[in-house]
Amino acid sequence: MKLWPLLAILLTQASLASSYFVAPFYLSLNGIEPFYGAAAGMKGLTKRKFDIVAGASFGSLEGAGLSLSNYQLTANDRIGLNFLNISDVKYETNYGRGLTTTDFVNQKLEFQAIQLNYSRLLSKSLTVKFNIAMTQRKFKGYETLDEREIDITLKNFYDEKATILGPAISYKTDLFKASADLGYIFGRTGQSDMLLLNTSLWKAIPLSSNNALNFGMKSSHAFVASEFQTKDNEIDGDCELITNSELQQRCLQLESDTNKFIKAHNRYGTAKPLGGNFGLRSFREFEFKSAHNLLLSSEFQQRLIGEKLYGLIFFELGQAQDRFEKIMNSSRFSSGAALHYYVSEKMPLRITYARGNSGDQFFISAGSIW
């Protein structure tokens, strides 16, 4: 799905919209090698005043996306439609649970998603939504971190097709944000159906016209609705067929880690992973996987130039456990500094340095953590 022709159409038709943008990008995240591309969009199209954004990326993440949003059914009712196609991505991952990690490997996969959402504005600050999404993920292979192929068979790594539906609610002012969404995930081969509850709170405390303290909390919780009875050795990687002894051992370790992970996943469920760009910034993307996680964050924000450039220092704590009652038993921390440049009101480009339990990290990303 190549969207460069659509980007060209967007540019030639930009005069039809009340506002438009074109944004090239280059992103480098912890555990994902750099990828780059461009996005273009227009706001306020036709009398329905809907928005459209399209983008494509290359490098370690090859894919494209299209978003149609804020299509007005009435003055208070809107619908949106999002498409995403990732034809190839490689990133570092592990199959540990909670804050315990196992051996890291490079995972290669492809991913597609389509999402339809309906929202109703109840007041200037309060919005309710209902989302339905269909996703598909296909495993394409594994490598060691030095990029040697691990010839584990993928016959039991089922292509994962899932349907997700549920309500959401958000409350936003200039100084306070709160949101919650509940999703029911079902239809995945060899996996339990589950409920997923995500919450977020963010509060800004102005200290002057140029700086503020920000405090935030995010959590994600999974609950198994219908358990799939997992065998002890659900994954058979045919590792005995590998002749290289070192790679055979890596295959056996990956097979063992995956079996343990799937068994815990089907028993407890798996919440949104913790770590990386949107929380615990000194760790790899999606490093900590568990049924329950919690992120606590504090930031000092200083305006540097106009309304565009801000400097931040931050400190955050994260917890991840399969049992909710044990979630506060141990933590991981990240601290650091960042520069945020706002290309639009809601879209900062971020350059971040972070230090935590696992060492130092430097990355370039986009989008607000809150």
Side-chain angles (χ1 to χ4, degrees):
M1 181 182 179
K2 300 297 185 182
L3 291 188
W4 289 113
L6 181 55
L7 293 179
I9 293 172
L10 286 174
L11 293 177
T12 59
Q13 299 296 317
S15 59
L16 299 177
S18 59
S19 63
Y20 62 94
F21 72 91
V22 181
F25 61 81
Y26 173 93
L27 304 179
S28 178
L29 305 177
N30 188 1
I32 303 177
E33 293 183 1
F35 56 98
Y36 53 90
M42 296 184 290
K43 290 187 175 184
L45 282 167
T46 75
K47 63 181 181 180
R48 295 295 182 177
K49 300 295 183 183
F50 70 92
D51 307 332
I52 180 170
V53 177
S57 68
F58 303 91
S60 66
L61 190 156
E62 295 186 4
L66 175 67
S67 175
L68 307 171
S69 59
N70 294 321
Y71 186 90
Q72 296 184 10
L73 300 176
T74 70
N76 294 321
D77 297 272
R78 292 172 171 81
I79 58 172
L81 187 62
N82 301 301
F83 301 90
L84 178 64
N85 177 58
I86 298 175
S87 58
D88 188 45
V89 63
K90 181 172 73 174
Y91 65 97
E92 295 177 13
T93 190
N94 79 104
Y95 284 101
R97 297 289 296 190
L99 296 176
T100 301
T101 57
T102 56
D103 286 347
F104 282 88
V105 293
N106 286 323
Q107 182 182 68
K108 297 179 289 185
L109 54 81
E110 63 182 58
F111 178 81
Q112 294 83 35
I114 179 172
Q115 180 200 46
L116 175 67
N117 62 73
Y118 161 80
S119 64
R120 181 171 179 81
L121 188 65
L122 299 182
S123 69
K124 184 179 179 180
S125 301
L126 185 62
T127 303
V128 294
K129 294 183 178 182
F130 187 85
N131 303 305
I132 179 169
M134 290 177 286
T135 68
Q136 178 172 295
R137 181 174 63 171
K138 181 177 182 179
F139 294 94
K140 297 177 68 175
Y142 290 89
E143 295 177 346
T144 63
L145 293 188
D146 58 1
E147 299 186 334
R148 290 180 296 161
E149 196 79 24
I150 301 174
D151 292 324
I152 187 169
T153 180
L154 299 178
K155 64 184 179 182
N156 299 122
F157 287 79
Y158 303 111
D159 293 351
E160 182 183 288
K161 298 180 181 179
T163 302
I164 309 166
L165 54 87
I169 187 169
S170 63
Y171 181 85
K172 295 182 180 180
T173 68
D174 291 340
L175 300 178
F176 181 80
K177 298 178 185 178
S179 66
D181 64 81
L182 180 66
Y184 180 58
I185 306 174
F186 63 96
R188 299 176 296 177
T189 303
Q191 297 191 52
S192 300
D193 297 345
M194 71 178 190
L195 290 167
L196 184 62
L197 174 64
N198 302 309
T199 66
S200 176
L201 296 171
W202 177 89
K203 171 68 175 175
I205 302 176
L207 302 179
S208 72
S209 59
N210 292 319
N211 51 48
L213 287 175
N214 301 328
F215 297 96
M217 179 183 73
K218 291 197 291 189
S219 69
S220 185
H221 307 277
F223 306 92
V224 171
S226 176
E227 184 176 351
F228 178 82
Q229 298 299 318
T230 313
K231 296 182 295 185
D232 287 338
N233 295 297
E234 194 75 24
I235 298 295
D236 179 4
D238 288 336
C239 299
E240 67 277 3
L241 301 179
I242 300 175
T243 56
N244 182 292
S245 59
E246 182 183 353
L247 292 179
Q248 183 186 71
Q249 186 58 42
R250 293 303 302 272
C251 179
L252 290 168
Q253 185 64 54
L254 178 59
E255 180 186 84
S256 174
D257 293 342
T258 306
N259 276 306
K260 291 176 183 178
F261 178 87
I262 289 176
K263 194 163 188 176
H265 167 79
N266 283 332
R267 180 179 180 185
Y268 299 109
T270 301
K272 291 175 64 175
L274 186 64
N277 182 34
F278 291 105
L280 280 185
R281 284 165 266 192
S282 67
F283 293 88
R284 288 176 173 88
E285 298 292 317
F286 323 121
E287 180 163 341
F288 303 112
K289 307 171 186 71
S290 61
H292 305 280
N293 66 57
L294 174 67
L295 176 74
L296 302 172
S297 178
S298 60
E299 299 178 341
F300 173 76
Q301 177 178 290
Q302 175 70 45
R303 187 201 313 264
L304 300 178
I305 300 176
E307 297 294 331
K308 293 289 188 179
L309 186 63
Y310 292 79
L312 294 91
I313 56 175
F314 62 86
F315 179 80
E316 52 195 8
L317 288 173
Q319 292 86 20
Q321 294 285 346
D322 279 335
R323 293 186 175 275
F324 180 78
E325 65 272 16
K326 296 182 178 180
I327 196 168
M328 301 303 291
N329 283 8
S330 57
S331 301
R332 297 291 184 269
F333 79 90
S334 290
S335 60
L339 288 175
H340 288 192
Y341 179 80
Y342 283 81
V343 295
S344 68
E345 181 183 356
K346 298 179 180 179
M347 177 56 68
L349 299 178
R350 298 189 282 151
I351 299 175
T352 304
Y353 166 79
R355 163 175 267 184
N357 302 85
S358 65
D360 301 349
Q361 296 296 333
F362 175 84
F363 60 88
I364 301 170
S365 59
S368 173
I369 186 174
W370 301 105

